[in-house]
Amino acid sequence: MSIDRTQATQPIGAVQPRDTADNSLQQAARKTSVTNTPTSGTAVTLSSAQSALTQSNTQDINSQRVEELKQAIRDGKLTMDIGKIADGLLQDTQDYLKGI
């Protein structure tokens, strides 16, 4: 199969390098404009439930299981049931399509 060009291609112009000194001045100007922005008098109070959610909770992560999985990956002993993964993907897709 052959493709013939119908129009001649035009050369791309040269790319001009950036002046890094000018860039640092712009960044400094942005920082000063942000720091000089006045703050509003709005106060935010979180509910106890929201406060509990934002705090780090190590009970959510089973660190022993995570370490076991990391070691199994390192040793090349981690096996995955690809049929189970495929079934889960199909089920999620079906649930998503039902919700549309």
Side-chain angles (χ1 to χ4, degrees), residues 1-52:
M1 182 170 130
S2 175
I3 299 175
D4 296 324
R5 293 185 184 235
T6 58
Q7 296 176 355
T9 58
Q10 300 295 323
I12 297 175
V15 178
Q16 297 178 355
R18 286 189 173 184
D19 185 12
T20 56
D22 185 39
N23 191 16
S24 63
L25 291 174
Q26 289 174 353
Q27 288 177 355
R30 278 190 222 127
K31 286 181 184 177
T32 57
S33 66
V34 171
T35 56
N36 293 335
T37 305
T39 58
S40 66
T42 305
V44 177
T45 304
L46 299 177
S47 67
S48 60
Q50 181 65 32
S51 297

Side-chain angles (χ1 to χ4, degrees), residues 66-85:
V66 170
E67 288 304 316
E68 289 173 2
L69 289 171
K70 284 182 179 180
Q71 190 60 43
I73 291 170
R74 283 186 210 113
D75 296 342
K77 296 179 181 177
L78 182 66
T79 57
M80 292 185 218
D81 185 357
I82 57 174
K84 187 175 180 180
I85 294 170

Side-chain angles (χ1 to χ4, degrees), residues 45-64:
T45 304
L46 299 177
S47 67
S48 60
Q50 181 65 32
S51 297
L53 288 172
T54 58
Q55 293 177 357
S56 175
N57 189 355
T58 57
Q59 296 174 352
D60 291 340
I61 300 171
N62 184 347
S63 57
Q64 181 180 357

